[in-house]
Amino acid sequence: MFFTYSELILLSKNIKKMPRSIDESLRGWNWNEPPVYSPSMSQVSVSELGYCSTLRNIYLKQKGYKGEVSTQILMGSMVHTVYARAIESIKRIVYSQQDISGDRLKTLMTDEFYSVLREFESLGQYAKVLWDHITNIYSAELDKIRSKFSNITRDSLVSILVPFYVEFPVDGSLVGLSSSLRVDAFVPFIPLIAEMKSGKYKYYHELSLAGYALAVESQYEIPVDFGYLCYVNVSEKEVRSNCKLIHINDSLRSEFLELRDKGIEIIDKGIDPGVAKDCEKECVFYKVCHPS
C-alpha cells in the first residue's frame, strides 16, 4: 500500500508475466448482460458483502440497527484515515514547496500530524507510528527522485513520488453496487486496485477486490485484472504490512456476483436470512444476534 515508483515498476513487470484470461461476460462493462446485469434498482456496498456469512448485517442495517463499534474496528478506521491523510498531505506539501528535500518534508509532515492527532487521541501513539512510517518512506523516495531527475516539474514530481490515488471514488450503480464506492488506492497506469485491511486474513477480502474491479470496469471500461490485498497492522513501535497480489479471475467474479444478488434479494424482499453459525465477537451486530 506504500507504493513507490520503483516498486510499482517491478510489480508491473511481475503482473505482465502472470496469466490474465478473463471471461468477457464477467467484465463490468457488460453490466447490461447476465451474469453481471442486476435487474433490481437496489444497491449494496462492497463492504457489506461477505462481512457476515448469511449477510444478516444487510438485513439488520435495513431494519435500522446501528450495532457497536469494537476496538478493532476503531483501529481499522484510524489506519485508513491516517493513511489517506498522510498521502494527501505529502502531495500537497510537495506541490506547495519549491525544491523541497526529504528532510524538509519530514519537518512539515511532523507539523501536519497534530491536526490528525486531535481526531485520534485514544489511538494517538498508533497514529503517530503509522504517520512517521509513511513519512519516512516518501521522504527517502523524494531524495532519490531529486537525485535522478535534475529538471522536473512539481506536477511530475508528485506523480512519480506518489504514483497512485487514495480513496478513489467509483460509481458502482451500473453493476448493482453503491454509487459512492471508495477504493483504498488505485494505480492508474497498471491499472491496479488495492485494499488495505487490519487484523487477519479473510477470504471475503479477496471477493471485495472483484466487486471493485467490476465497478471500475463498468464506469471506465478498462480491464482490471489484478488487485493488491494488504494487511497493515500497527503496534506502539512499528508498522507491519503483508501484501498479496490477487488475480481477479472468473471464480472470484462469479462468487462476488452471487453474493451481490443474495444481498440485493435480502434488501428487496426484507427476509431475515438468520444468524450465522460462525459469528465473530468483533462484528458490530454481535450483541444483536446474541443478546444473552
Side-chain angles (χ1 to χ4, degrees):
M1 293 296 292
F2 312 110
F3 299 115
T4 62
Y5 185 75
S6 55
E7 288 173 345
L8 283 180
I9 293 297
L10 290 176
L11 189 58
S12 181
K13 290 180 178 179
N14 289 335
I15 286 174
K16 188 177 180 181
K17 299 174 184 177
M18 298 174 69
R20 58 171 64 204
S21 176
I22 305 291
D23 185 340
E24 285 295 301
S25 70
L26 293 169
R27 292 288 194 184
W29 56 72
N30 285 317
W31 55 267
N32 57 342
E33 298 287 343
V36 178
Y37 174 70
S38 173
S40 174
M41 295 298 291
S42 297
Q43 298 174 356
V44 290
S45 174
V46 172
S47 61
E48 294 175 330
L49 296 170
Y51 178 76
C52 170
S53 59
T54 67
L55 300 187
R56 195 173 194 239
N57 60 303
I58 295 176
Y59 170 79
L60 293 174
K61 183 180 177 181
Q62 289 295 113
K63 293 297 181 181
Y65 289 93
K66 300 296 183 183
E68 292 187 2
V69 178
S70 66
T71 303
Q72 181 178 323
I73 292 174
L74 284 175
M75 179 66 81
S77 176
M78 181 277 292
V79 168
H80 278 83
T81 301
V82 170
Y83 172 75
R85 290 280 294 275
I87 297 299
E88 289 173 358
S89 296
I90 289 168
K91 288 184 177 182
R92 175 167 43 79
I93 289 169
V94 174
Y95 264 123
S96 65
Q97 299 283 318
Q98 182 73 31
D99 299 325
I100 187 172
S101 67
D103 284 341
R104 179 61 177 162
L105 177 60
K106 281 186 180 182
T107 299
L108 294 175
M109 283 293 285
T110 298
D111 296 340
E112 191 85 13
F113 173 72
Y114 291 101
S115 64
V116 177
L117 180 61
R118 287 192 288 269
E119 299 177 34
F120 297 103
E121 289 187 6
S122 62
L123 297 172
Q125 178 63 34
Y126 301 96
K128 184 68 164 61
V129 168
L130 179 57
W131 187 273
D132 288 346
H133 180 77
I134 296 169
T135 298
N136 290 336
I137 288 173
Y138 291 101
S139 295
E141 186 69 9
L142 176 59
D143 287 337
K144 288 180 183 178
I145 296 170
R146 284 276 186 210
S147 65
K148 185 174 183 179
F149 301 102
S150 56
N151 275 316
I152 185 170
T153 65
R154 271 179 272 187
D155 187 56
S156 292
L157 175 60
V158 170
S159 298
I160 295 175
L161 177 65
V162 188
F164 60 97
Y165 307 117
V166 292
E167 294 293 317
F168 187 74
V170 183
D171 181 354
S173 57
L174 288 176
V175 289
L177 302 174
S178 170
S179 59
S180 55
L181 297 175
R182 291 288 186 274
V183 179
D184 289 341
F186 179 64
V187 184
F189 70 79
I190 291 182
L192 181 76
I193 54 175
E195 277 293 290
M196 180 168 56
K197 305 295 180 183
S198 56
K200 60 185 180 181
Y201 168 83
K202 293 184 174 69
Y203 176 64
Y204 79 82
H205 293 157
E206 293 193 24
L207 292 176
S208 69
L209 290 172
Y212 289 120
L214 287 163
V216 171
E217 289 176 348
S218 72
Q219 185 174 359
Y220 296 101
E221 298 196 0
I222 58 172
V224 180
D225 298 338
F226 292 92
Y228 209 53
L229 183 57
C230 289
Y231 290 88
V232 177
N233 291 290
V234 184
S235 70
E236 294 181 347
K237 294 182 178 180
E238 63 179 353
V239 176
R240 293 184 179 181
S241 60
N242 182 21
C243 300
K244 181 181 179 182
L245 189 64
I246 305 294
H247 181 213
I248 306 173
N249 55 28
D250 295 352
S251 177
L252 279 180
R253 290 166 182 265
S254 296
E255 282 189 64
F256 178 82
L257 289 170
E258 289 175 8
L259 269 181
R260 178 206 63 180
D261 293 344
K262 183 179 178 181
I264 289 176
E265 184 180 29
I266 290 171
I267 294 172
D268 289 345
K269 295 183 178 180
I271 299 173
D272 187 348
V275 177
K277 295 180 179 180
D278 55 351
C279 292
E280 295 186 355
K281 291 187 177 181
E282 291 79 15
C283 174
V284 297
F285 296 117
Y286 185 84
K287 290 185 178 179
V288 177
C289 295
H290 303 273
S292 57

